[in-house]
Amino acid sequence: MSSRQGVRPGGRSARVQASVHTAVRELMEDRGREALTVPLVAQRAGVTPSTVYRRWGTLQELLSDVAVERLRPDTEPEDHGDLRSDLTAWAEQFLDEMSSASGRAYIRDALLGDPDGDNAGQCSAYAAEQINVILARARDRGENTPDVETAMDRVVAPLMYRILFRPAGLDAAYARRLVAGLVGVRGTGGR
Amino acid sequence: MSSRQGVRPGGRSARVQASVHTAVRELMEDRGREALTVPLVAQRAGVTPSTVYRRWGTLQELLSDVAVERLRPDTEPEDHGDLRSDLTAWAEQFLDEMSSASGRAYIRDALLGDPDGDNAGQCSAYAAEQINVILARARDRGENTPDVETAMDRVVAPLMYRILFRPAGLDAAYARRLVAGLVGVRGTGGR
DNA sequence: TCCTTAAAGCAACGAGTTTGCGTTAAGCGA
DNA sequence: TCGCTTAACGCAAACTCGTTGCTTTAAGGA
């Protein structure tokens, strides 16, 4: 298990979890990602290092946890009246958030301290959920929609691939082109 | 600069670089990825830890270097007579190599110790090169081919995305479906 | 209220990392 | 070929980080 939920929801444990998480976020802003160490985080959180080590194991797993928390979308995708507009707006925002320096750092952290892939899967699930909302809304309108897997393959995957492997030269126009290539094409079955 | 070339190509430096790289590969097989430490690698390579620290900085940057080296394709894509067969064979092999436990570890290492993204970009360039060879061959045959960027978006990106974020349930049939969705469709402009 | 037991604190030990300084050997020009 | 310059390596000490056994605290339940 990578995601540290269910550790005695109320009380001291919860307080420690919260203060450690905020300590990580504050220190990342103050001193930058590279300067983070477990003892430093623990000190800021008012906790002993051993507590952090016992609950998270390594700094990377802790960062992975924090990253997933920050990558969770906090709002539903906006409704612009039709599938293409909705997807375009979502893709542009997704690209914007994820391709920023901090966004890329969070993605990498999420991928990193994650031996079993749970946290990475969670990130993907977040995107799939958002896409699903958009597609369901389009179906309700009577629009012809591709399935989620196809949308993931044709929009999310290319965006994420380029963010991770070729960050140079990404822009909103590329996101729009991906969406344009998807809508108006029937779902190919995904996988 | 992440890739440590050009450090005095011949002589002691080159010997150290080579022995450290092979030490990493040997130890990864012997004791596994997790057991690696800089002092351990240095000892096996017959070198002092400080040498490794000074040249690579951290274990992750060293691993990233080794990973990129291992991810470089060592052969040209096979020629099966037509674009679709070539792409299918390549995609299946790519998926096979990359989705293995060690393949995923290499990809993650390459992404990881790589602040400026040079190593990740190199990985992507390898794939693009291979695809390019296949497409050029198809054009020489007179086949109608998509452009490289489109192929990256439609085949490589989905494969890599799922390898990294949703490793469960990937198989050769999925790779074939991606290729099938690409060929027979004109290049949409890539980006 | 008392009991049980996770979870946190403390402290000491071991391992990994960093750094200054001396030494070696490429690379290069005379 | 020789000698000079300088990057790279080796050595060793100091320091920080990570680990672990034991003690103490406090949540949750009887």
Side-chain angles (χ1 to χ4, degrees):
Chain A
M1 43 122 149
S2 283
S3 198
R4 307 277 150 176
Q5 313 304 338
V7 264
R8 288 200 174 183
R12 187 166 60 162
S13 290
R15 269 200 310 279
V16 167
Q17 161 128 353
S19 71
V20 168
H21 273 224
T22 61
V24 168
R25 285 195 292 270
E26 289 174 5
L27 285 170
M28 280 181 89
E29 290 192 7
D30 286 8
R31 309 203 189 179
R33 167 77 173 71
E34 291 304 308
L36 288 194
T37 67
V38 170
L40 193 65
V41 171
Q43 186 185 17
R44 166 86 73 143
V47 158
T48 49
S50 63
T51 295
V52 175
Y53 285 120
R54 275 198 246 265
R55 274 188 55 177
W56 284 276
T58 69
L59 176 65
Q60 289 174 352
E61 285 183 61
L62 171 57
L63 292 182
S64 187
D65 257 29
V66 174
V68 172
E69 194 179 85
R70 297 220 80 174
L71 290 172
R72 170 163 46 214
D74 45 353
T75 76
E76 291 235 314
E78 303 163 18
D79 190 336
H80 291 86
D82 65 305
L83 173 59
R84 180 164 176 163
S85 307
D86 282 2
L87 268 183
T88 301
W90 181 86
E92 286 183 7
Q93 191 196 339
F94 182 81
L95 176 61
D96 192 53
E97 285 173 5
M98 298 298 190
S99 65
S100 70
S102 65
R104 293 185 63 225
Y106 281 127
I107 296 169
R108 283 170 36 164
D109 285 339
L111 277 175
L112 188 56
D114 190 24
D116 42 6
D118 281 351
N119 285 352
Q122 191 58 50
C123 291
S124 178
Y126 289 151
E129 260 175 55
Q130 297 280 95
I131 299 258
N132 226 345
V133 170
I134 292 175
L135 294 179
R137 210 148 56 193
R139 271 192 293 275
D140 286 349
R141 293 192 201 101
E143 294 187 76
N144 214 341
T145 66
D147 58 60
V148 194
E149 296 304 322
T150 304
M152 295 295 287
D153 286 342
R154 300 285 284 270
V155 178
V156 179
L159 286 175
M160 193 57 93
Y161 179 81
R162 294 189 123 98
I163 288 168
L164 287 176
F165 291 93
R166 309 162 102 191
L170 272 173
D171 57 10
Y174 173 64
R176 284 195 292 274
R177 227 173 303 140
L178 288 175
V179 173
L182 171 65
V183 299
V185 134
R186 233 32 59 228
T188 55
R191 63 188 194 127
Chain B
M1 38 89 171
S2 280
S3 198
R4 306 278 150 175
Q5 312 304 336
V7 263
R8 290 199 175 184
R12 188 166 59 164
S13 289
R15 268 199 310 280
V16 167
Q17 161 128 353
S19 72
V20 168
H21 273 223
T22 61
V24 167
R25 285 194 293 270
E26 288 175 5
L27 284 170
M28 279 182 90
E29 290 193 6
D30 287 7
R31 310 203 188 177
R33 168 78 175 67
E34 291 304 308
L36 289 193
T37 66
V38 171
L40 192 65
V41 170
Q43 185 184 20
R44 167 86 75 145
V47 158
T48 50
S50 63
T51 295
V52 176
Y53 285 120
R54 276 196 245 265
R55 271 184 62 174
W56 283 277
T58 69
L59 177 65
Q60 287 175 354
E61 285 183 60
L62 171 57
L63 292 182
S64 186
D65 258 28
V66 174
V68 173
E69 197 179 83
R70 296 221 80 175
L71 290 172
R72 169 163 47 214
D74 45 353
T75 76
E76 291 235 312
E78 302 163 19
D79 189 338
H80 291 86
D82 65 305
L83 174 60
R84 179 163 177 165
S85 307
D86 283 2
L87 268 183
T88 301
W90 182 85
E92 286 183 7
Q93 192 196 339
F94 181 83
L95 176 61
D96 192 52
E97 286 173 4
M98 298 297 191
S99 65
S100 70
S102 65
R104 294 186 63 225
Y106 280 126
I107 296 169
R108 281 172 35 167
D109 285 338
L111 277 175
L112 253 158
D114 189 24
D116 42 7
D118 281 350
N119 286 351
Q122 192 57 51
C123 291
S124 179
Y126 289 152
E129 261 174 54
Q130 296 281 95
I131 300 259
N132 225 345
V133 170
I134 292 175
L135 294 180
R137 209 149 57 194
R139 272 192 293 275
D140 286 349
R141 292 192 201 101
E143 293 187 76
N144 214 342
T145 66
D147 58 59
V148 195
E149 297 304 321
T150 305
M152 295 295 286
D153 286 342
R154 299 284 284 270
V155 178
V156 179
L159 287 175
M160 194 58 93
Y161 180 80
R162 293 189 124 98
I163 288 168
L164 287 175
F165 290 92
R166 309 162 102 191
L170 272 172
D171 57 9
Y174 173 65
R176 284 195 292 274
R177 226 173 303 141
L178 288 175
V179 172
L182 172 65
V183 299
V185 136
R186 231 33 57 224
T188 54
R191 65 193 192 118

